[in-house]
């Protein structure tokens, strides 16, 4: 191939997959290989797949088949399929997809360079230290753990990502320092179960130790917590969030349902009442807290009354942002074998009804910000050339943006008076 092989990456799925891709990209950048930002310049493409529900698997297979056509357009091109779909289906995938040159499950991603050497015949040279990231964004995800110790009845992730493994405080601090020196101003802490960090470590540390270790780092303006399970929200975590700058008064906590019986069938704890109590404690400690959650509609055995309980809860809780999934029966999960499976059309219809109620609440809560002045982290221009940013109550990629009336240097935090809202998005005048 003459000069060094050029490697491109395509990422599907969640922020944890984005972090995995960034680590693989960093290993390529540090090697003798070249990183190709554009697929047309690439010799090898690595497709990092998602596999946690059937829809995601179908999207991943579709993307792989499309890339197989790209591969066949020029001799010497190679296609690598990596990530969660590979971890979930293993060797079955190789038999089903002869178009793919190599499969790399999640656990083998650190060994990607070896796979690339095998495919290209070119030595990668030196490898980057583990955990190296390319970074470069105004906002970056920092994965504090991988895997999950829980066994929610509908979930495939413990099979895909394995048992819970906290990353060491040293590794987190070093990676955070690298991302901040590469220009990040916001770090978003993620994991399948972020706030269970430390449960598998010898010393009795917890997620508040991570917050305290990261808070004083140079350049860190915002520190955000996502994927926080409700039963891990302790008084200590609430106090730390309320008092420790620059932790955002923002929490993404998947609740999944409001009926105690349905939650038990999910192998989860809680109820609508206990969640309302938790939300009240959070708002007592942080009256300005912004809350995001996710729910599943149409779970096996969910009666009309239990569904109404979920709708009532969404109407009452006043959540700022809500993700809603129609239940997806997944092979190998206990839930798929439960009696009372609800027809697909009904599951989607229920999810749409939750969506309507949740949107009404979210849009009203967003509109309350009109006339206020917010600190907005500039993200530069969007693909349409509009200057955008996010206020502290908006997580990256999922909670909308603030459109600015004039350009602001990416990474700068500007005071913006909010004039208008459009659904989850806001528009405002940059004051300073
Ligand atoms: S906590 Fe999340 S990742 Fe873990 S089993 Fe439950 S749904 Fe899956």
């Amino acid at each position: 191939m003459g000069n060094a092989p050029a490697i491109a990456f395509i990422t599907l799925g969640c922020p944890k997959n984005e972090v995995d891709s960034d680590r693989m990209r960093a290993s390529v950048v540090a090697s003798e290989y070249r990183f190709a930002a554009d697929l047309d310049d690439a010799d090898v493409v690595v497709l990092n797949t998602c596999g946690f529900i059937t829809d995601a698997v179908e999207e991943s297979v579709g993307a792989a088949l499309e890339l197989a056509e790209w591969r066949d357009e020029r001799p010497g091109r190679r296609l690598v399929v990596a990530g969660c779909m590979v971890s979930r289906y293993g060797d079955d995938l190789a038999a089903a997809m002869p178009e793919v040159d190599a499969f790399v499950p999640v656990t083998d991603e650190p060994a990607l360079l070896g796979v690339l050497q095998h495919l290209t015949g070119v030595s990668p040279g030196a490898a980057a230290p583990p955990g190296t990231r390319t970074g470069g964004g105004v906002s970056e995800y920092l994965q504090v753990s991988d895997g999950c110790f829980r066994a929610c009845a509908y979930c495939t992730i413990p099979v895909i990502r394995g048992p819970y493994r906290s990353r060491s405080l040293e590794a987190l601090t070093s990676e955070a320092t690298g991302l901040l020196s590469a220009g990040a101003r916001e770090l978003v802490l993620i994991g399948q179960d972020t706030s269970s960090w430390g449960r598998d470590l010898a010393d009795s540390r917890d997620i508040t130790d991570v917050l305290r270790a990261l808070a004083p780092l140079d350049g860190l303006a915002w520190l955000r917590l996502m994927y926080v399970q409700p039963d891990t929200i302790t008084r200590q975590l609430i106090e730390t969030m309320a008092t420790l700058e620059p932790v955002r008064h923002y929490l993404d906590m998947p609740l999944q349902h409001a009926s105690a019986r349905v939650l038990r069938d999910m192998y989860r704890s809680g109820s609508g009442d206990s969640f309302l109590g938790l939300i009240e404690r959070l708002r007592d400690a942080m009256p300005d807290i912004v809350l995001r959650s996710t729910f599943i509609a149409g779970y096996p055995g969910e009666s009309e009354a239990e569904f109404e309980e979920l709708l009532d809860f969404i109407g009452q809780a006043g959540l700022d942002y809500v993700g809603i999934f129609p239940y997806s029966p997944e092979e190998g999960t206990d839930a798929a074998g439960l009696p009372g499976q609800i027809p697909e059309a009904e599951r989607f219809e229920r999810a749409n009804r939750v969506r309507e109620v949740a949107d009404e609440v979210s849009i009203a809560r967003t509109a309350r910000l009109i006339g206020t002045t917010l600190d907005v982290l500039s993200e530069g221009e969007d693909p349409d050339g509009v200057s955008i940013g996010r206020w502290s109550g908006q997580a990256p990629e999922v909670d909308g943006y603030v459109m600015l009336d004039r350009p602001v240097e990416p990474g700068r935090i500007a005071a913006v008076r909010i004039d208008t809202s459009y659904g989850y998005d806001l528009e405002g005048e940059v004051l300073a």
Side-chain angles (χ1 to χ4, degrees):
M1 291 188 184
N3 54 10
I7 319 297
F9 290 86
I10 294 176
T11 303
L12 304 176
C14 70
K16 284 142 279 186
N17 247 19
E18 289 177 33
V19 170
D20 290 345
S21 287
D22 193 40
R23 289 200 187 111
M24 291 191 277
R25 193 171 24 244
S27 71
V28 163
V29 168
S31 77
E32 297 299 320
Y33 301 144
R34 292 175 296 129
F35 167 62
D38 191 321
L39 190 56
D40 293 337
D41 303 333
D43 303 298
V44 182
V45 62
V46 178
L47 172 68
N48 192 4
T49 62
C50 178
F52 91 115
I53 56 171
T54 306
D55 284 0
V57 171
E58 287 167 1
E59 183 196 4
S60 296
V61 169
L65 295 177
E66 257 183 60
L67 288 168
E69 288 170 21
W70 165 88
R71 188 198 64 162
D72 296 342
E73 282 165 12
R74 200 187 74 206
R77 282 181 172 170
R78 297 287 183 272
L79 168 57
V80 176
V81 170
C84 294
M85 181 176 71
V86 181
S87 295
R88 184 172 177 187
Y89 293 102
D91 298 341
D92 300 350
L93 217 49
M97 300 185 80
E99 305 86 346
V100 175
D101 298 295
F103 291 95
V104 179
V106 173
T107 44
D108 294 355
E109 288 172 0
L112 176 71
L113 294 185
V115 173
L116 295 175
Q117 177 168 11
H118 177 71
L119 292 178
T120 63
V122 175
S123 163
T132 303
R133 301 273 304 273
T134 61
V138 160
S139 176
E140 290 287 346
Y141 295 111
L142 184 65
Q143 186 164 353
V144 300
S145 64
D146 204 349
C148 193
F149 72 91
R150 300 168 192 267
C152 300
Y154 51 83
C155 185
T156 60
I157 292 175
V159 170
I160 293 173
R161 313 284 303 201
Y164 196 91
R165 307 169 312 280
S166 301
R167 299 184 63 212
S168 73
L169 214 44
E170 296 65 36
L172 291 175
T173 311
S174 135
E175 186 171 321
T177 304
L179 292 169
L180 293 167
S181 59
R185 299 299 315 285
E186 174 184 35
L187 293 177
V188 182
L189 303 187
I190 60 170
Q192 271 79 36
D193 178 357
T194 306
S195 46
S196 287
W197 182 90
R199 63 172 275 115
D200 57 323
L201 300 179
D203 49 17
S204 60
R205 289 184 173 168
D206 66 27
I207 191 70
T208 62
D209 293 292
V210 175
L211 296 175
R212 279 190 291 275
L214 299 177
L217 293 179
D218 281 351
L220 183 61
W222 289 357
L223 187 54
R224 188 183 305 276
L225 274 171
M226 299 195 75
Y227 306 99
V228 170
Q229 297 298 329
D231 61 0
T232 64
I233 302 175
T234 59
R235 190 171 44 73
Q236 188 186 354
L237 177 57
I238 294 176
E239 276 171 18
T240 304
M241 288 183 67
T243 57
L244 181 66
E245 274 296 334
V247 179
R248 300 297 87 193
H249 291 178
Y250 176 100
L251 206 54
D252 163 48
M253 52 176 190
L255 299 176
Q256 306 301 9
H257 211 282
S259 150
R261 192 204 64 75
V262 174
L263 285 161
R264 272 197 309 280
D265 262 16
M266 289 177 168
Y267 305 161
R268 294 179 65 88
S269 59
S271 67
D273 288 345
S274 71
F275 294 154
L276 289 175
L278 171 60
I279 290 170
E280 195 181 336
R281 288 197 301 283
L282 286 163
R283 288 189 170 134
D284 286 349
M286 295 166 275
D288 62 340
I289 194 166
V290 170
L291 295 172
R292 157 171 277 280
S293 188
T294 49
F295 298 88
I296 294 175
Y299 193 74
E302 180 191 69
S303 66
E304 187 55 46
E306 287 161 343
F307 177 62
E308 290 298 329
E309 209 178 329
L310 175 58
L311 286 178
D312 292 347
F313 174 81
I314 302 259
Q316 246 184 299
L319 298 164
D320 300 274
Y321 306 107
V322 165
I324 179 72
F325 294 91
Y327 168 69
S328 179
E330 295 303 324
E331 183 197 328
T333 64
D334 289 3
L338 281 174
Q341 298 285 330
I342 296 171
E344 184 175 35
E346 173 64 16
R347 298 197 302 261
F348 277 79
E349 203 268 332
R350 289 186 184 190
N352 290 339
R353 287 172 60 193
V354 175
R355 180 79 276 149
E356 283 160 20
V357 175
D359 278 351
E360 210 179 305
V361 174
S362 302
I363 290 167
R365 292 184 69 81
T366 301
R368 292 179 326 161
L369 298 167
I370 295 172
T372 67
T373 296
L374 301 172
D375 285 342
V376 172
L377 173 63
S378 170
E379 298 206 352
E381 288 184 358
D382 72 6
D384 304 323
V386 177
S387 299
I388 59 166
R390 285 176 293 108
W391 75 286
S392 175
Q394 292 172 315
E397 302 183 274
V398 288
D399 296 338
Y401 290 92
V402 181
M403 273 83 79
L404 307 175
D405 67 336
R406 60 184 172 86
V408 174
E409 186 205 346
R412 190 161 80 77
I413 295 178
V416 177
R417 190 190 52 243
I418 303 301
D419 304 326
T420 326
S421 71
Y422 310 95
Y424 290 11
D425 292 331
L426 296 160
E427 190 171 276
E429 180 192 353
V430 177
L431 302 177

